[in-house]
């Protein structure tokens, strides 16, 4: 009986239960409260951009993984250039041995630098050329996005025009690969 009444109330726009988004906003507000308003506003703008870049970068990793798995089989990793494999394996080894962080450490593709992702695609171009317009198109966007990504990773503020370029490049990518 309560569930049907709750649904009627919710359909009427009445909130039933806890509002998780309100709680999250409150926690964020409390965490940022000690800092000046300008710094807080910049942080929130950069957090939105970071979120988009995080999704974009991980989408590319997934796209590479899926494409190579489909075209080269489950052992696709062994068919990458040795330089790329060595780089990733070395970084993974360091993470496993030296790090107190407990995050994801099994995905070797996650240890590839952002800039190397375009290199994998161009190295295996025959599997990607039916979707990505050209290697030049790929390299231009990935080079600029890598610079932006590194700028953000070092907590530097971007100009509004740079925000727009990032959003445009990511929208281009999403359109091209069909997201």
């Amino acid at each position: 009986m309560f569930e049907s009444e709750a649904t009627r109330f919710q359909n009427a726009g009445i909130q039933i239960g806890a509002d998780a988004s309100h709680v999250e906003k409150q926690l964020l507000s409390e965490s940022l409260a000690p800092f000046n308003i300008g710094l807080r506003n910049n942080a929130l703008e950069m957090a939105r951009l970071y979120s988009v870049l995080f999704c974009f970068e991980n989408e590319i990793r997934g796209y590479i993984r899926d494409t190579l798995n489909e075209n080269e089989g489950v052992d696709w990793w062994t068919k990458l250039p040795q330089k790329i494999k060595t780089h990733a394996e070395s970084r993974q080894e360091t993470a496993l041995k030296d790090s107190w962080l407990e995050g994801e450490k099994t995905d070797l593709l996650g240890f590839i630098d952002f800039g190397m992702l375009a290199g994998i695609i161009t190295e295996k171009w025959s599997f990607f050329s039916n979707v990505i317009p050209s290697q030049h198109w790929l390299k231009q966007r990935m080079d600029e996005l890598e610079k932006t990504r590194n700028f953000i990773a070092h907590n530097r503020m971007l100009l509004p025009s740079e925000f727009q370029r990032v959003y445009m490049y990511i929208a281009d990518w999403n359109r091209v690969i069909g997201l």
Side-chain angles (χ1 to χ4, degrees), residues 80-95:
L80 289 178
Q82 190 59 45
K83 179 180 177 181
I84 290 172
K85 292 188 305 187
T86 300
H87 176 80
E89 290 163 357
S90 171
R91 289 182 69 195
Q92 180 190 44
E93 185 179 316
T94 299

Side-chain angles (χ1 to χ4, degrees), residues 8-28:
R8 264 195 5 240
F9 286 128
Q10 288 171 332
N11 290 339
I14 299 171
Q15 180 184 329
I16 305 294
D19 180 4
S21 66
H22 175 70
V23 172
E24 287 176 21
K25 287 178 186 175
Q26 183 64 32
L27 287 172
L28 179 61

Side-chain angles (χ1 to χ4, degrees), residues 8-167:
R8 264 195 5 240
F9 286 128
Q10 288 171 332
N11 290 339
I14 299 171
Q15 180 184 329
I16 305 294
D19 180 4
S21 66
H22 175 70
V23 172
E24 287 176 21
K25 287 178 186 175
Q26 183 64 32
L27 287 172
L28 179 61
S29 179
E30 289 172 12
S31 298
L32 296 176
F35 305 104
N36 76 58
I37 189 74
L39 198 55
R40 291 189 307 234
N41 288 339
N42 286 346
L44 292 172
E45 275 189 78
M46 293 303 288
R48 184 174 50 246
L49 187 58
Y50 170 81
S51 297
V52 171
L53 281 168
F54 175 91
C55 291
F56 172 72
E57 181 172 337
N58 285 292
E59 183 67 36
I60 290 174
R61 291 177 196 282
Y63 177 63
I64 289 170
R65 183 181 298 104
D66 293 346
T67 301
L68 294 180
N69 192 46
E70 180 181 313
N71 289 283
E72 293 194 313
V74 293
D75 64 338
W76 62 268
W77 177 261
T78 64
K79 299 171 185 170
L80 289 178
Q82 190 59 45
K83 179 180 177 181
I84 290 172
K85 292 188 305 187
T86 300
H87 176 80
E89 290 163 357
S90 171
R91 289 182 69 195
Q92 180 190 44
E93 185 179 316
T94 299
L96 290 169
K97 186 171 45 171
D98 298 337
S99 180
W100 54 269
L101 297 171
E102 296 181 10
E104 168 58 48
K105 296 179 187 176
T106 59
D107 178 21
L108 282 167
L109 196 55
F111 288 97
I112 298 292
D113 290 342
F114 182 86
M116 293 175 138
L117 296 173
I120 293 173
I121 293 172
T122 56
E123 180 71 29
K124 302 291 184 173
W125 184 245
S126 62
F127 304 133
F128 296 94
S129 63
N130 62 331
V131 174
I132 298 174
S134 71
Q135 290 182 18
H136 174 75
W137 182 91
L138 173 70
K139 183 161 177 36
Q140 178 190 23
R141 281 153 182 79
M142 293 293 283
D143 285 351
E144 289 212 22
L145 288 170
E146 180 181 21
K147 291 173 190 169
T148 301
R149 178 196 181 278
N150 294 342
F151 213 82
I152 293 166
H154 292 279
N155 297 307
R156 296 184 197 120
M157 188 68 193
L158 296 175
L159 296 174
S161 61
E162 294 164 328
F163 275 77
Q164 294 309 312
R165 183 176 20 264
V166 170
Y167 291 135

